[in-house]
Amino acid sequence: MKTLAVLCLFAELAFSYSFVASQPGIKNTHFLARRQQSGGANPGGPLNCPFNPDHIFPTPVTDQFPYNSAKGGKPGKGIGGYLVPAIGDEAHKFIAPTDRDIRGPCPGLNAAANHGFIARDGITNYTELVDAVQNVYNMGYDLANFLAVFSIFIADGDLVTKKLSIGCDATTRTSFNPVLTGSQPGLVGHNKFEADSSLTRNDFFLGKGDNFNFNGTLFGMMTKTTGGTFDLEGLAKFRYERYVQSRRDNPNFFFGPLGVFTHGAASFVYELFPSGTEGYVPNLQNTAAFFGAQQEADGTWSHIPERIPENWTTRQKPYSLLDVGGQIFSMYSKYPVGFGGNVNGKFIGLDFPPYIQGGNLTAAKPSDYACLLYQLVAGPIPSSLNGIITPTVTALQFVLTAIGGESFTNLGCPIPLTK
Ligand code: HEM
Ligand SMILES: *[C@@H]1O[C@H](CO)[C@@H](O)[C@H](O)[C@H]1NC(C)=O
Ligand SMILES: *[C@@H]1O[C@H](CO)[C@@H](O)[C@H](O)[C@H]1NC(C)=O
Ligand SMILES: *[C@@H]1O[C@H](CO)[C@@H](O)[C@H](O)[C@H]1NC(C)=O
Ligand SMILES: *[C@@H]1O[C@H](CO)[C@@H](O)[C@H](O)[C@H]1NC(C)=O
């Protein structure tokens, strides 16, 4: 019975996905979100992706340096307020990446890699990610698990090895069998997890494929718009400005349901980066350290490796799924914008029932946003299944199990796929 249910489910998935390359579940058949895969020697492609033959596993937390005691992909203590890195913890001191190490579009993960909480070569896996974001940032287990599952299983990594590149395409190292799986773009994969109108990264199309390097002009704009405060109000405004800029300038602009993720990531700037030693108030110096932004004499911003600022302590309470849903809600409500994309010079709204109708978001409360995120993970086809292999029932079942509906059903989310 179970097998049959999953089989039917798969048939339905394959059907509903056939008309949209990368944004499953969206109802407008005339409308394509272009995947614009990097590939080859393009930015983010496999040929110029750094290669480090010495993959060294990160040093796990110990009794001497416990942080949140998160180990083995399990929930940690969830009690923050501690110094990172701890005094004397040599294994987690800052070391700049070499040109053999991969870094990508996420400042939080780049900083974690530069401090050895995930492998310093930038090839990581599920367990490392879930542990690292709990130990370094006191991210809640539910959100940590969600992000790791989404990025590895659904978007950019490998279903079997559970490995992921935090930047460019390193399929030879993430995939259990590159011939069978096809390419695994890593976190730079456009319109998978990475999306348009990011804070400090170019749109894929406007950057000629560079959607992952730090852009100092954008960091300068963010600093100016937020008045250097980097708070909810300022970031909501800057997210809006970036949306307007991209929708105007990028003929391939796409702001899908995933767009709420980029609002979520923006909330990390004022929820996860601020330090207890500075009263948890975000400021320019602290934000610049995490983004690797360095101001030059002429006022412009260049890039240095991301690092955890000196004397930095984590937030007190874990940052949970419901918390991020609440921040997305607050941020979006300040400047509501249409969901959809530019097609032949015209913006077309999309449907993502029940949360988005005709390009308008109908989600009305924080848990709706969390549920929207759940519907997203329960949707896309994992990139592991992109290749010539026909997705097996086992593989699909694995994805659905890994997502683990519990944290979402607890929030009252309808279960889109597992039943
Ligand atoms: C497993 C955990 C995580 C994954 C898989 C992940 C992945 C990503 C990805 C793919 C992006 C690019 C989105 C875009 O196109 O704008 C991103 C952006 C971002 N992430 Fe993460 N992230 C994780 C955890 C974190 C943590 C813990 C922090 C902070 C403490 C963080 C901070 C940010 C910020 C601030 C951005 C926006 C960067 C920008 O737009 O310039 N992330 N993340
Ligand atoms: C992930 O990496 C850790 C070391 O950081 C290793 O112990 C674990 O076996 C790896 N694999 C999985 C599937 O988590
Ligand atoms: C950085 O962003 C600005 C504003 O979007 C853009 O004009 C510029 O070309 C970008 N720079 C690089 C190096 O991509
Ligand atoms: C960090 O803390 C130490 C000890 O309290 C202090 O001497 C040092 O000035 C602090 N550094 C910064 C950048 O605040
Ligand atoms: C949203 O709803 C309004 C009417 O309230 C409509 O004019 C608009 O076209 C809709 N779609 C978008 C993408 O804004």
Side-chain angles (χ1 to χ4, degrees):
M1 268 321 282
K2 199 171 174 195
T3 316
L4 182 65
V6 174
L7 264 173
C8 296
L9 169 65
F10 179 67
E12 202 179 299
L13 281 176
F15 174 74
S16 58
Y17 290 164
S18 55
F19 51 81
V20 174
S22 59
Q23 291 297 320
I26 293 165
K27 290 285 193 276
N28 311 38
T29 47
H30 57 282
F31 167 60
L32 277 190
R34 290 180 192 82
R35 184 170 282 169
Q36 303 169 323
Q37 221 65 292
S38 341
N42 293 318
L47 292 180
N48 50 21
C49 193
F51 185 89
N52 192 333
D54 311 317
H55 176 77
I56 299 166
F57 286 127
T59 305
V61 297
T62 56
D63 288 345
Q64 192 189 359
F65 304 116
Y67 301 99
N68 246 333
S69 301
K71 267 189 203 173
K74 303 257 163 24
K77 288 184 301 207
I79 302 171
Y82 49 79
L83 202 61
V84 185
I87 292 163
D89 183 2
E90 285 296 303
H92 295 118
K93 68 177 188 207
F94 170 81
I95 302 176
T98 71
D99 56 9
R100 302 195 303 181
D101 298 326
I102 295 171
R103 296 294 180 267
C106 177
L109 296 183
N110 290 349
N114 291 340
H115 283 269
F117 284 95
I118 59 182
R120 291 182 188 267
D121 67 354
I123 304 285
T124 186
N125 72 18
Y126 170 82
T127 313
E128 283 181 19
L129 279 175
V130 172
D131 295 350
V133 297
Q134 293 184 82
N135 288 322
V136 178
Y137 299 110
N138 196 18
M139 185 179 265
Y141 176 76
D142 59 354
L143 182 56
N145 181 53
F146 172 81
L147 289 174
V149 167
F150 185 79
S151 61
I152 294 176
F153 298 150
I154 312 286
D156 307 314
D158 191 278
L159 202 68
V160 176
T161 64
K162 300 182 191 165
K163 287 186 189 168
L164 171 80
S165 155
I166 66 168
C168 45
D169 186 327
T171 305
T172 53
R173 285 158 284 159
T174 54
S175 171
F176 81 99
N177 183 335
V179 175
L180 291 180
T181 62
S183 73
Q184 297 175 336
L187 281 188
V188 307
H190 183 57
N191 278 341
K192 283 172 162 253
F193 195 145
E194 196 290 319
D196 288 336
S197 70
S198 309
L199 300 174
T200 68
R201 268 62 177 170
N202 297 327
D203 285 7
F204 182 94
F205 179 82
L206 295 176
K208 299 187 176 63
D210 176 5
N211 59 349
F212 51 92
N213 278 307
F214 173 85
N215 179 318
T217 307
L218 294 176
F219 186 84
M221 284 162 56
M222 174 163 73
T223 303
K224 187 155 173 256
T225 294
T226 64
T229 62
F230 305 97
D231 58 3
L232 166 63
E233 185 59 55
L235 279 159
K237 190 162 175 230
F238 185 58
R239 291 284 304 131
Y240 177 67
E241 286 173 8
R242 290 286 293 134
Y243 175 95
V244 170
Q245 182 190 11
S246 292
R247 184 165 156 175
R248 183 192 62 214
D249 297 343
N250 180 356
N252 291 316
F253 174 60
F254 183 67
F255 189 77
L258 263 180
V260 300
F261 260 168
T262 35
H263 274 53
S267 78
F268 297 170
V269 173
Y270 58 83
E271 289 286 351
L272 297 183
F273 287 160
S275 175
T277 51
E278 294 166 345
Y280 296 110
V281 179
N283 63 48
L284 177 57
Q285 204 191 349
N286 166 288
T287 310
F290 277 109
F291 274 91
Q294 176 171 264
Q295 193 156 33
E296 303 299 330
D298 65 358
T300 59
W301 295 92
S302 60
H303 192 246
I304 54 173
E306 296 82 356
R307 75 187 290 169
I308 299 172
E310 221 179 297
N311 298 340
W312 183 80
T313 65
T314 60
R315 61 180 277 122
Q316 299 279 356
K317 279 169 56 185
Y319 194 54
S320 69
L321 262 173
L322 193 57
D323 290 334
V324 77
Q327 290 308 310
I328 296 170
F329 171 72
S330 303
M331 198 180 291
Y332 183 84
S333 307
K334 287 183 190 292
Y335 298 89
V337 291
F339 284 81
N342 287 336
V343 181
N344 301 326
K346 193 167 176 290
F347 184 81
I348 296 178
L350 60 80
D351 295 325
F352 188 70
Y355 303 109
I356 300 172
Q357 307 281 358
N360 288 303
L361 191 69
T362 55
K365 54 185 189 301
S367 60
D368 286 346
Y369 286 82
C371 297
L372 188 158
L373 294 179
Y374 180 44
Q375 182 159 322
L376 268 176
V377 289
I381 285 191
S383 68
S384 328
L385 309 180
N386 270 351
I388 56 170
I389 191 169
T390 308
T392 62
V393 171
T394 323
L396 194 71
Q397 207 162 14
F398 183 56
V399 170
L400 294 176
T401 317
I403 289 161
E406 218 173 282
S407 14
F408 293 95
T409 43
N410 287 347
L411 297 175
C413 302
I415 303 177
L417 289 175
T418 45
K419 287 273 152 70

